[in-house]
Amino acid sequence: METGVVILIGLFFTVAVYLMLSKQLVRMLLGIAILGNAVNMLIFTNGRLTREVPPLIPEHLYTPEVATANPLPQALVLTAIVISFSFFAFLLVLAFRAYQELGTDEVNEMRIAEPENDQTPPQGY
Amino acid sequence: MAGSSVSVDLSQAMIIGAVPAGDWLVVAPTLITILGGSLCLMLRKNTDLQPRLGIGFLALLVLANLGLLVRVLDQGVITMVMGSWLPPFGIAFTVDALGATLSLIGSVVALCAGIFGAATVSSTGRRYGFYPFLLLLMTGVCGAFITGDIFNLYVWFEVLLISSYGLLVLGNDRIQLDGAVKYGVLNLIGTNLFLIATGLLYGIFGTLNMADLAQKVAALDNPASGTLATVAALYFLAFAMKAAAFPVNFWLPASYHTPNIVVSAVFAGLLTKVGVYALIRVMVLILPASRDYMADVIALVAIVTLMTGALGALAQSEVRRLLGYLVIAGIGAMLAGVAVGSTLAVSGAIFYAVHSIIVMTALYMAAGIMDMMGGSYELRKLGGLYQKSAAFAGVFLVLGFAVSGLPPFSGFWPKVVLVDASFQDGRPWLAAAILVSGFLTTLAIGRVWIFAFWRGGPEGTPDGQSVTVSTGNSVQLSGGAVWLPLGILTALVVYFGLQPEWMLELSTRGASGVIEPLGYLRSVFGGEG
């Protein structure tokens, strides 16, 4: 099962990098969203994959009876999902505002903060 | 992990005794800033009250951090775990000399920025949340400096990142949106790399506690294996991105000059240094063998970063963008310390970080005052500022000397330490790069001084002739809120330049605490170390 998931993660990373190398801001953002999911799956897989055994402890015991699913990566992934989702939402809004104001989503044309014909510093009085 | 014994008594997994009262200081910085941030957020429409409230909470933060540093120096490393879970189960906050020092200096700078912001942030900016964002940014910064759990470090990074996005777009200019897009996208990719490395590290060791990781890595037969080197390389790339080191530095000059000047000042002072701090923590404390393995690469990155920063600064005619490149040059010097990796070198890097936090914030504030006096950030349009305020010209010269590493100011000593450490390690090129970069920085900053202060007026006016320069926003300059923070920071620069022993000892303590982490481990796991 791990092998399959690992191949899927690799696929996600490939697609994410491909999209992030694009010049369109929207495609870059999609790439970032996919990258976030690839990372989440990576953490999840790293915490070992087990099926159908929830980490529940019977009332009379202190430790689980059988090998159980690892709850920690699930907690980590949950945190990471929330964070990356909120950041993605923020970046979407930011990109939309930037598109409204700058009239382009082509990153090469976004040269307002760093103008293309920047003056060289003065050479003498 | 808790073992298979059925009769579990809680003392094996949890701390039963009460936390000593003084140890609550560990979480005080984050609590104070979260509380202050939320309070300011609730009162965000009351723009008159906000600065007082914000400055009050920031002053409280300075006091808390001061108390924390005193306690750490007094008692050694302090650990506090969340929910009383014994390490490595719970999230641990571990404060050593390194974290406490940077946290204190960071909060001093934030306090200065809060005071400066009272005079320079408009009431619109306040209503959109300058003070809440500043306080929450400090939550992230202090949290990152005091956490002892690497996933928690990621969370604090995100806290400071989202607050910095808020500060960056405050004002909603076109130029800011452009800068924020680049800053946002690249920093998010950086944090994702950080998360990948953390996931892999968890997969290998099954723990995320820094002390536990350091122990387990040190116990390996082959700590420089390829897997760990991959993790280390990912961490290095991620934190280099945060710190704006050479190949991944381009987002910084694209975005740091766009927001309100006080926001630029805080960013330039704090954010990149958090990246350097994380780099020291991870590469030196957790993965020392991989650091040795990668030392040549780090040294190369440091040299190129030093040169990029200095040469980039020489090529700018806009003061804020010039300062952005100087931030990058400083990062190169700190990376040089990480590359060498001896106690001397790391202590140099820590001292340099402290110096850079203070001096970069002060320089951006000074740039803001130059704009208020001369009405522009362009070197061509500035001039004659010496006639307006000779004292300010002197202050700028002091800060310029400090950032170039000239004596007798705070930049000199860390550079001496770093150059010495590079020679001891047999890396003369690294030492040469530090010195050449300092020389080029002197040229760049000297040019700013000559053009903005020394000559009579802006370009086109005859030299030496007294010209009425455009008055700019000189009305605001009357308030002490502008001069006080700059004065405090300049006084610190001079103090650390004339009395470096105290800071040298502190940074040496911080460095040896990271390189020989016995005290760190003992604090987390108790006596057996």
Side-chain angles (χ1 to χ4, degrees), chain B residues 12 39 82 119 163 235 258 383 404 443 470:
Chain B
Q12 277 183 347
L39 207 60
M82 300 300 111
S163 321
Y235 271 124
T258 60
S404 325
L443 290 186
S470 78

Side-chain angles (χ1 to χ4, degrees), chain B residues 32-47 49-51 53-55 57-58 121 124-140 159 162-164 166-167 170:
Chain B
I32 290 169
T33 45
I34 286 182
L35 208 66
S38 349
L39 207 60
C40 282
L41 195 63
M42 282 188 271
L43 296 168
R44 76 191 180 95
K45 288 191 176 148
N46 193 337
T47 50
L49 185 63
Q50 268 205 40
L53 212 60
I55 291 167
F57 273 105
L58 286 170
V121 178
T124 325
R126 286 181 203 161
R127 197 153 57 237
Y128 282 127
F130 172 71
Y131 282 100
F133 281 135
L134 180 62
L135 279 162
L136 293 175
L137 180 80
M138 286 317 291
T139 314
V159 170
I162 197 81
S163 321
S164 68
L167 283 173
L170 206 73

Side-chain angles (χ1 to χ4, degrees), chain A residues 13 20 25 28 32 35-36 39 42-43 46-47 61-63 70 72-73 76 79-80 83 87 90-91 94 97-98 101-102 110-115 118-122 124-125, chain B residues 3 6 8 151 154-155 158 161-162 165 169 172 174-175 177-178 180-182 185 188-189 192 195-196 199-200 202-203 208 254 257-258 314-317 321 380 447 450-451 455:
Chain A
F13 272 119
M20 285 192 300
L25 196 54
M28 287 174 67
I32 289 176
L35 178 70
V39 175
L42 182 110
I43 299 177
N46 262 318
L61 290 181
Y62 281 108
T63 49
N70 186 352
L72 188 61
L76 299 183
T79 316
I83 292 176
F87 273 72
F90 176 82
L91 280 181
L94 185 70
R97 278 290 292 147
E101 288 285 326
L102 311 177
M110 303 175 107
R111 304 286 311 227
I112 296 178
E114 291 172 296
D118 209 11
Q119 280 184 314
T120 49
Y125 286 154
Chain B
V6 180
V8 173
F151 192 82
Y154 158 77
V155 176
E158 302 291 328
L161 204 54
I162 197 81
Y165 288 170
V169 293
N172 211 2
R174 295 179 75 205
I175 185 171
L177 288 169
D178 187 12
V181 166
K182 287 159 188 171
V185 169
L188 195 54
I189 294 173
N192 268 322
L195 197 55
I196 295 170
L200 292 174
Y202 177 72
L208 290 165
H257 65 291
T258 60
L314 270 180
Q316 299 305 312
S317 69
R321 290 182 64 184
R380 289 170 192 280
R447 177 152 67 193
I450 288 173
F451 277 92
R455 68 174 171 180

Side-chain angles (χ1 to χ4, degrees), chain B residues 182-368:
Chain B
K182 287 159 188 171
Y183 175 84
V185 169
L186 288 163
N187 268 288
L188 195 54
I189 294 173
T191 12
N192 268 322
L193 288 173
F194 177 13
L195 197 55
I196 295 170
T198 307
L200 292 174
L201 207 56
Y202 177 72
I204 300 169
F205 293 108
T207 177
L208 290 165
N209 185 297
M210 289 186 197
D212 203 19
L213 281 171
Q215 238 174 7
K216 287 193 171 154
V217 172
L220 285 182
D221 296 331
N222 177 20
S225 68
T227 328
L228 276 186
T230 312
V231 174
L234 274 169
Y235 271 124
F236 181 64
L237 181 57
F239 294 138
M241 223 158 166
K242 296 277 161 201
F246 167 63
V248 282
N249 63 343
F250 40 82
W251 57 268
L252 192 148
S255 62
Y256 268 26
H257 65 291
T258 60
N260 187 311
I261 192 72
V262 62
V263 174
S264 300
V266 180
F267 281 16
L270 291 177
L271 298 192
T272 45
K273 277 61 165 193
V274 183
V276 171
Y277 164 81
L279 201 60
I280 292 177
R281 193 58 98 197
V282 169
M283 301 298 276
V284 183
L285 175 72
I286 301 180
L287 301 164
S290 308
R291 193 214 61 81
D292 294 344
Y293 181 67
M294 288 173 60
D296 287 339
V297 180
I298 305 177
L300 191 65
V301 170
I303 292 173
V304 187
T305 309
L306 278 161
M307 287 300 127
T308 317
L311 292 174
L314 270 180
Q316 299 305 312
S317 69
E318 219 258 16
V319 177
R320 289 176 299 178
R321 290 182 64 184
L322 187 151
L323 294 179
Y325 278 100
L326 292 188
V327 174
I328 296 176
I331 295 301
M334 289 171 238
L335 282 183
V338 179
V340 175
S342 61
T343 311
L344 188 66
V346 176
S347 78
I350 295 169
F351 196 167
Y352 202 97
V354 170
H355 146 75
S356 178
I357 289 176
I358 298 169
V359 83
M360 287 322 301
T361 310
L363 272 173
Y364 266 97
M365 284 178 181

